[in-house]
Amino acid sequence: MTGKRGRPRSAETQQSILTNAYELLLEEGFAAVTVEKIAERAGVSKATIYKWWPNKAFVVMDGFLSAASARLPVPDTGRLMQDVRLHAARVASFMTSPDGKIITDLIGEGQFDSGLAEAYRSRYFAPRRLEARQLLERGRSRGELRPDADIDLAIDLIYGPIFYNLLIFGAQPDDAYVERLVKAAFEGLLAEP
């Protein structure tokens, strides 16, 4: 009988590590969080954390994702523009919340930490982009988008300005801005009635 090396991951221990990593992130910011602090607060050894995560960036990102994943549901109203408007408004609202501020902090820190940059790109932004892609592809399958619409470019046109305003100007896009943005982006994307 062959078994796996080491002890199995305890769900309670894992959740404690993720919760404490997230709380430290909120309290101190990414730069001040250390594996030592996470371990101390969670009541585990550093070795336990390193057994499950390769570095601080991954455990912090998992803590963030664990706390934030339910806050960005993907809508399905049956109408593409309404779905995209809701999704983009939720993204903008989330990014201006205390949780969203974490992402902007992580983006800043990622300029100096390539492991962190890879973690937030692959584990936060790639799934959000996939959600947007699924919304647009669902709309195309219902005949709401032109068949030749460039989905990737559409995602850039819709979501890029939100991040540009947040990260470059520190502006907080409201629902009216998102509505104008989505309407302008869709002018060239919608199928003829």
Side-chain angles (χ1 to χ4, degrees):
M1 178 172 166
T2 60
K4 293 181 180 176
R5 278 184 48 183
R7 293 174 37 194
R9 191 182 285 204
S10 157
E12 289 111 25
T13 301
Q14 179 185 15
Q15 191 55 52
S16 175
I17 292 167
L18 294 175
T19 299
N20 285 290
Y22 177 69
E23 289 173 358
L24 280 166
L25 187 62
L26 282 175
E27 293 166 16
E28 300 184 11
F30 180 80
V33 174
T34 63
V35 171
E36 291 82 5
K37 288 180 181 179
I38 297 168
E40 182 180 327
R41 192 179 267 200
V44 300
S45 70
K46 289 188 321 182
T48 297
I49 293 173
Y50 283 121
K51 181 170 54 176
W52 296 335
W53 291 277
N55 58 42
K56 172 182 101 166
F58 277 85
V59 69
V60 168
M61 185 57 65
D62 277 357
F64 171 77
L65 294 174
S66 175
S69 62
R71 294 184 177 103
L72 287 169
V74 179
D76 187 0
T77 65
R79 293 179 39 227
L80 177 60
M81 274 192 68
Q82 180 66 13
D83 288 347
V84 172
R85 188 169 41 248
L86 282 170
H87 190 255
R90 288 174 182 164
V91 168
S93 177
F94 177 77
M95 291 299 294
T96 59
S97 72
D99 287 328
K101 171 112 175 50
I102 290 171
I103 283 292
T104 59
D105 290 347
L106 292 174
I107 290 169
E109 290 291 331
Q111 305 308 301
F112 309 102
D113 182 335
S114 61
L116 176 62
E118 174 53 32
Y120 68 65
R121 285 182 193 126
S122 65
R123 306 185 73 211
Y124 179 75
F125 286 107
R128 302 293 78 74
R129 190 169 181 91
L130 180 59
E131 290 169 357
R133 171 174 275 288
Q134 290 168 342
L135 287 175
L136 291 164
E137 287 176 348
R138 188 169 61 209
R140 180 168 29 204
S141 72
R142 291 191 301 244
E144 294 177 81
L145 276 187
R146 290 188 352 239
D148 64 340
D150 184 329
I151 298 289
D152 288 317
L153 183 59
I155 293 167
D156 293 344
L157 288 169
I158 295 164
Y159 295 90
I162 294 170
F163 287 95
Y164 179 77
N165 276 284
L166 285 166
L167 298 173
I168 303 302
F169 293 111
Q172 299 186 354
D174 59 13
D175 287 348
Y177 172 82
V178 171
E179 179 142 0
R180 288 191 324 271
L181 174 65
V182 170
K183 188 175 180 180
F186 271 84
E187 283 180 8
L189 296 170
L190 293 177
E192 294 296 324

